[in-house]
Amino acid sequence: SFLSPKLENKTKGKLQKQICRVVLDHFEKQYTAELGNAWSSVRDVLTSPLCWQHSILLNRFSPCTKLENSLCVQGYHPAFQGGLPYLPAALKCYISRTPGRFPAQKHQAGKLKEYYLLNAASLLPVLALEVKDGEKVLDLCAAPGGKSVAILQCACPGWFHCNEYDALRARWLEETIESFIPESLINFIMVSKLDGRHIGDLKPELYDKVLVDAPCSNDRSWLFSSDIHQATLRLIQRKELSYLQFQLLRSAVKALRPGGCLVYSTCTLSKAENSDVINLILNSCSNVMPVDISEMGRAVSQEFTLLDGLQQHELLVLPERGRAWGPMYVAKLKKI
């Protein structure tokens, strides 16, 4: 390294965000109980941002051969290879074994971005949803828009409804869609700011596919809460999140047409916000059944570390060094 030791420490300090003790202690108790031995290697990744990885989702509406070639030269490889039940040729996502961050592209009005940076595990809910051309699709909690963009890399829905209740995040979602999707397709996309809990009543049995990427306790960012008071408040409110998630799911079920499918996802390891919410829906809605996604799980187990012992309709990606993807919980249900 060409930096003087003093400067080097300074740079390191910038990258080493402060870990919030209150949150770590809380996670320590909960996740040791829920994940057992797996927790220590997960904690190792979550508390070391320097080993985090980003994947590069290419934008098929702004193809750039030069970028693809340069990624290969830099040691990137496709994240998803054969064996997946659903892997559209147009979906191109590159990952590298080494940590580090690819430069992000700035938003420029009237110019489409060539790629989107995201956690590769975020694409699993989209792959599980299996969107086909012409379907009516609802992304219930869509901001900041990465999964909406990914859905549009896979297929062209006949009607795509992206919803985000939070006004600030809804603006962010609109900007993401403008940055990635050409004018010609924008007509098929509706962005709304409705309360997701009511969409099922407003638009009953309208959609073929619904994605519920629910608001959750975001393990990665919560660990670095700089405000102790806010962190403590979050941990208290954490107990209420599962009820909100249940209400959003119930609304999604109402919005689905019979025969339609929904995918529920979160970026937390918490069982209360994952399996428990899905079990609650399965026990309280007689018109919903689980859909086996274990084939997808097997196909991605080369690149992702999955928690053992879950049901066939769910999977949980555990971050691990060298495969620092997740946390990402995915479950799939069908309306009958």
Side-chain angles (χ1 to χ4, degrees):
S1 160
F2 300 102
L3 295 174
S4 70
K6 211 172 182 174
L7 257 176
E8 197 168 315
N9 287 340
K10 206 170 172 183
T11 329
K12 253 195 191 133
K14 264 210 177 105
L15 286 165
Q16 287 294 12
K17 304 186 268 191
Q18 279 313 118
I19 288 167
C20 179
R21 253 350 290 190
V22 186
V23 177
L24 184 59
D25 292 345
H26 178 90
F27 284 1
E28 198 67 63
K29 274 199 209 68
Q30 181 180 348
Y31 294 149
T32 303
E34 291 179 11
L35 303 173
N37 297 338
W39 168 239
S40 62
S41 57
V42 171
R43 180 187 56 211
D44 180 37
V45 171
L46 291 184
T47 54
S48 323
L50 292 177
C51 78
W52 294 4
Q53 291 160 275
H54 292 85
S55 69
I56 298 158
L57 175 66
L58 301 190
N59 185 10
R60 68 168 168 150
F61 305 112
S62 178
C64 180
T65 331
K66 224 166 53 209
L67 170 66
E68 227 173 315
N69 294 340
S70 110
L71 284 173
C72 295
V73 171
Q74 290 176 57
Y76 281 83
H77 64 272
F80 303 101
Q81 285 154 351
L84 274 144
Y86 171 87
L87 185 61
L91 181 81
K92 290 186 177 175
C93 175
Y94 281 85
I95 59 178
S96 153
R97 284 266 179 257
T98 46
R101 197 186 167 100
F102 205 72
Q105 290 183 307
K106 296 256 185 297
H107 174 67
Q108 290 174 282
K111 192 173 187 304
L112 293 183
K113 292 186 183 182
E114 290 166 1
Y115 58 87
Y116 190 98
L117 298 180
L118 79 177
N119 185 323
S122 304
L123 293 173
L124 296 179
V126 172
L127 292 171
L129 198 60
E130 302 192 19
V131 174
K132 313 249 185 330
D133 287 349
E135 289 183 325
K136 292 191 176 75
V137 182
L138 167 63
D139 188 350
L140 193 68
C141 318
K147 292 184 182 70
S148 300
V149 166
I151 284 171
L152 291 163
Q153 301 307 314
C154 293
C156 288
W159 171 244
F160 192 19
H161 180 178
C162 302
N163 182 67
E164 178 53 55
Y165 186 43
D166 182 292
L168 203 66
R169 285 170 62 83
R171 179 67 215 116
W172 190 6
L173 169 66
E174 281 168 349
E175 192 175 275
T176 302
I177 289 172
E178 275 162 31
S179 298
F180 286 90
I181 309 305
E183 284 286 332
S184 57
L185 280 183
I186 299 272
N187 304 336
F188 296 98
I189 303 172
M190 174 175 101
V191 177
S192 66
K193 303 181 182 95
L194 301 165
D195 182 334
R197 293 172 292 187
H198 304 318
I199 285 183
D201 291 323
L202 295 169
K203 301 184 180 293
E205 305 203 336
L206 183 64
Y207 303 97
D208 301 296
K209 303 279 162 75
V210 180
L211 175 63
V212 185
D213 185 42
C216 65
S217 45
N218 185 327
D219 297 350
R220 266 183 200 246
S221 65
W222 280 26
L223 271 170
F224 298 95
S225 310
S226 46
D227 178 342
I228 296 276
H229 175 70
Q230 185 202 31
T232 313
L233 201 63
R234 274 176 170 171
L235 292 173
I236 294 167
Q237 291 168 339
R238 191 176 200 204
K239 295 182 181 70
E240 291 154 29
L241 274 169
S242 52
Y243 185 57
L244 168 65
Q245 291 153 346
F246 171 72
Q247 289 176 299
L248 289 167
L249 258 178
R250 202 172 46 187
S251 171
V253 170
K254 285 181 184 171
L256 262 185
R257 64 163 181 78
C261 284
L262 75 82
V263 167
Y264 173 75
S265 60
T266 73
C267 54
T268 180
L269 299 158
S270 174
K271 184 171 170 291
E273 298 175 50
N274 295 338
S275 302
D276 291 358
V277 174
I278 291 295
N279 289 337
L280 196 58
I281 274 288
L282 288 169
N283 291 331
S284 59
C285 300
S286 55
N287 59 346
V288 174
M289 59 180 279
V291 177
D292 185 347
I293 54 171
S294 57
E295 194 187 333
M296 179 178 93
R298 278 192 297 278
V300 299
S301 61
Q302 295 300 308
E303 298 287 2
F304 299 91
T305 304
L306 303 175
L307 179 67
D308 284 336
L310 290 183
Q311 305 278 324
Q312 288 186 318
H313 58 273
E314 55 179 356
L315 44 96
L316 178 61
V317 179
L318 303 176
E320 204 174 73
R321 277 190 187 259
R323 319 203 274 183
W325 314 112
M328 180 59 57
Y329 175 80
V330 185
K332 185 169 185 177
L333 305 174
K334 181 177 184 164
K335 184 170 182 176
I336 41 187

